[in-house]
Amino acid sequence: MGLDDRDALRMLRDAVDPALGDDLIRRFYTHWFAIDMSVRDLFPPDMDEQRRRFGQAVSWVLGELVAQRAQEPVAFLAQLGRDHRKYGVTQRHYDSMQTALYAGFRNHFGANWNDQLSEATHDAVALMIGVMRGAADAEDGPPFCDGTVIEHLRVTRDVSVVRLQLDQPLFYHPGQYVTVQVPQWPRRWRYLSPSIPTEPSGGIEFHIRSVPGGMVSTAIVAETTPGDRWRLSNPHGALHVDRDGGDVLMVAGSTGLAPLRALIMDLTRWGVNPRVHLFFGGRYPCDLYDLRTLWEIASQNPWLSVTPVSEFNVDPPWAADYPDVQPPRGLHVRQTGVLADVVTRYGNWGDRQILICGSPAMVTATKAALIAKGAPPERIQHDPLAS
């Protein structure tokens, strides 16, 4: 039965579910590195995060196949194949990966291995590897582009604005994100969203917040200097504003502002736009690092309203060491409270296009609060949540 055998596919899905353990994934990587030693150099020394992400991805694809939904997993796998070119993955690597992944499932089930599991595993692995391989092989463009840091601004204690000049322009839609590799941490890629629309000259800007325990983000904020060479992947994501889709609610937590600011800047190209109300939140008033830019945009574009939000009303003493973020008069009065609570004080916003960007916890809480108030889930957009 192969891909039609839902019971067998369900067993495969559960075998790689990170919530149930990662023994299979660990053995898969061990076997893969043993039969193809060139693969090990493609990955960082610490494999914990890589194993977790791979287990989540394979578990999700198999879950979609259990539900007999193929369109989204195929599109996801194709994008994965195109994106993996940036690591230096070759056709030979796909051959050894297919062998190791099939062996990993077979060894995991041991005495319970049977013809039904064998057929389902063969077909599922062939589908996953085949789609990735085909998409990578069909892509003609470069797998990445490089750029030089030209400016690093420390705008708060844990947020930096980094501007680069790329060797060649990177074309992306406002609201999309890329993966970035920095010299401090080779082979560790981090998701970042450009804060400005594509510039034909190759300029690009990122807002980065140092995450507690985050090695890459901490290194970027603390150690980036002009002249550093960064590597950027091709863009991902589908966050967007439909100019014919009605008015818009945007909710940004900290550097989640970046993709929403790029969308807002792109809208300024038109004289008439849907109304956009942006809630920009941080822990302290000083964390609202880009209010001056937002004030400048709103002062020239009456369709944009901005409400600053901070959880605390008073800045900590260390705020004096960083630039004053207070804009001239003109924005809405700053509100105090948790971002999700402040946004929903105004209603459920169910008649709006809703875009939410920020930490996974903030996005989850805000989305839940809006839905609880009555906002239709299908009108809410956010990027995939990664912990």
Side-chain angles (χ1 to χ4, degrees):
M1 295 177 64
L3 296 179
D4 293 324
D5 189 340
R6 295 191 181 190
D7 290 336
L9 291 172
R10 194 173 289 110
M11 293 176 68
L12 299 181
R13 179 200 63 194
D14 293 344
V16 294
D17 186 348
L20 302 176
D22 68 348
D23 288 346
L24 189 156
I25 301 300
R26 285 178 177 273
R27 286 196 293 269
F28 154 68
Y29 277 110
T30 299
H31 188 189
W32 193 16
F33 295 162
I35 64 175
D36 189 347
M37 289 185 290
S38 67
V39 174
R40 186 64 185 90
D41 291 336
L42 305 179
F43 295 95
D46 180 4
M47 289 291 293
D48 288 346
E49 180 65 12
Q50 174 64 29
R51 285 193 296 266
R52 184 184 69 82
R53 289 184 181 276
F54 182 74
Q56 285 180 331
V58 175
S59 178
W60 177 79
V61 169
L62 290 169
E64 292 295 288
L65 295 179
V66 169
Q68 300 293 288
R69 294 189 295 259
Q71 184 175 353
E72 285 194 34
V74 167
F76 168 76
L77 290 165
Q79 180 60 56
L80 209 59
R82 289 189 290 268
D83 192 47
H84 272 57
R85 296 182 308 134
K86 71 175 184 278
Y87 299 116
V89 174
T90 66
Q91 295 296 315
R92 186 190 73 184
H93 295 139
Y94 284 116
D95 291 335
S96 58
M97 180 183 181
Q98 185 164 347
T99 299
L101 189 54
Y102 179 86
F105 280 112
R106 183 187 61 211
N107 295 335
H108 176 80
F109 286 101
N112 295 321
W113 188 253
N114 55 36
D115 291 343
Q116 289 73 32
L117 278 172
S118 176
E119 185 177 358
T121 302
H122 175 274
D123 290 356
V125 171
L127 172 68
M128 289 187 283
I129 303 300
V131 172
M132 292 173 64
R133 181 204 303 267
D137 191 48
E139 190 68 27
D140 294 328
F144 51 76
C145 69
D146 294 332
T148 302
V149 174
I150 58 174
E151 191 171 23
H152 174 208
L153 304 175
R154 192 75 174 266
V155 292
T156 77
R157 185 170 64 171
D158 58 0
V159 173
S160 286
V161 172
V162 179
R163 299 182 178 123
L164 296 95
Q165 178 63 46
L166 303 179
D167 296 348
Q168 62 272 335
L170 176 66
F171 295 100
Y172 52 87
H173 297 293
Q176 286 192 299
Y177 58 90
V178 298
T179 53
V180 174
Q181 179 183 250
V182 299
Q184 291 85 357
W185 284 102
R187 291 181 289 168
R188 290 186 184 273
W189 295 76
R190 189 182 189 278
Y191 294 106
L192 294 178
S193 296
S195 61
I196 59 175
T198 291
E199 283 195 357
S201 64
I204 196 167
E205 177 184 290
F206 297 106
H207 300 175
I208 304 98
R209 179 173 176 266
S210 177
V211 179
M215 294 178 289
V216 177
S217 63
T218 299
I220 292 174
V221 171
E223 301 173 16
T224 296
T225 58
D228 284 355
R229 295 284 288 173
W230 286 19
R231 176 158 290 177
L232 281 62
S233 77
N234 291 314
H236 305 271
L239 207 65
H240 69 283
V241 170
D242 180 357
R243 292 186 61 247
D244 298 318
D247 292 339
V248 183
L249 167 68
M250 295 183 175
V251 185
S254 187
T255 54
L257 174 67
L260 301 183
R261 193 183 85 156
L263 284 164
I264 289 170
M265 293 177 72
D266 185 61
L267 288 173
T268 63
R269 296 186 298 138
W270 287 275
V272 178
N273 281 306
R275 290 180 300 163
V276 177
H277 196 126
L278 168 67
F279 288 84
F280 176 33
R283 193 175 187 196
Y284 299 106
C286 63
D287 288 326
L288 305 176
Y289 62 92
D290 210 32
L291 282 182
R292 289 183 183 271
T293 301
L294 297 174
W295 173 84
E296 290 174 359
I297 298 173
S299 66
Q300 301 295 321
N301 295 276
W303 46 264
L304 176 63
S305 299
V306 179
T307 298
V309 180
S310 63
E311 294 184 25
F312 297 95
N313 196 38
V314 178
D315 280 329
W318 52 257
D321 297 332
Y322 298 94
D324 178 14
V325 302
Q326 294 303 312
R329 293 175 60 87
L331 300 180
H332 287 281
V333 174
R334 180 174 52 81
Q335 305 290 304
T336 303
V338 176
L339 193 52
D341 296 339
V342 173
V343 171
T344 52
R345 285 178 200 162
Y346 292 78
N348 66 18
W349 303 89
D351 60 338
R352 303 286 182 112
Q353 303 177 66
I354 301 173
L355 289 72
I356 310 173
C357 293
S359 69
M362 170 266 174
V363 172
T364 300
T366 304
K367 181 178 180 180
L370 286 164
I371 292 173
K373 282 280 190 175
E378 64 273 11
R379 292 186 66 85
I380 300 176
Q381 300 179 52
H382 57 81
D383 284 329
L385 301 179
S387 60

